[in-house]
Amino acid sequence: MRIYLGNTEFPAAPEKLEAEREGGWASAELETLGEILQHRPSRLRAVRFSGIFPGSRMGFVTAGTLLSPGEYSARMEAALSSKEPLRLVVSGGAAPFSMLAVVEKFLCWEQAGEDGDLYFTLALREYRPYGTQSVAVKVVSPDGKPVGSAGSSSGRTGSPAVPKTYTVQKGDNLWSIAKRFLGDGSRYGEIAKWNNIGNPSLIYPGQVLRLE
């Protein structure tokens, strides 16, 4: 196994590399059914591994070019503070993969009696590119009549316009409302809090909800 992050090849394969990915299922509460599962895009992959930046070339080193421990550490610190993702490549082994990633955590330390070597733990998170999308939001007056729609863009440059209130329609639930107006169904609890709703599964048609 060989591991590359950007233009840096790690000196040796770690004893263990963990690549964790959660499924795209999330629970929601419906007034008539209770708790259900809804599918959404899968969560971002998390990768963790530990290793050594040796002070001299040892038998386990596989990298063609061996940098100093200080240079490896400086590159990881730069990746940690960078605002741009890097390409993570894991080649060889039973399950090679490649993905854009950002460094979430970098821990580095020395051990007594091993002068010149640095040990490290690295935690990375998959980066999923996203562009600008056009979103149309239907605005409804307190009496339930549509008053027009607002088009806006989302992505790096802004967020969709969100109306201040929404009138509950037949078949609505807080999860679908949060998904529609806040972009994330799991934020239904925020709407419940803004409207002093003790039981998020109990809403009714005609009810006017604050969305901020």
Side-chain angles (χ1 to χ4, degrees), residues 1-14 17 49-54 60-67 72-73 75-76 79 86-90 103 106 120-124:
M1 178 193 299
R2 291 197 171 189
I3 304 176
Y4 305 82
L5 181 63
N7 62 358
T8 301
E9 179 182 5
F10 286 82
L17 182 146
F49 61 93
S50 299
I52 181 175
F53 297 140
F60 56 80
V61 173
T62 57
T65 300
L66 181 66
L67 306 176
Y72 282 117
S73 178
R75 291 192 180 194
M76 295 304 104
L86 296 172
R87 174 66 60 178
L88 174 68
V89 178
V90 178
V103 176
F106 172 58
F120 71 91
T121 293
L122 198 64
L124 304 105

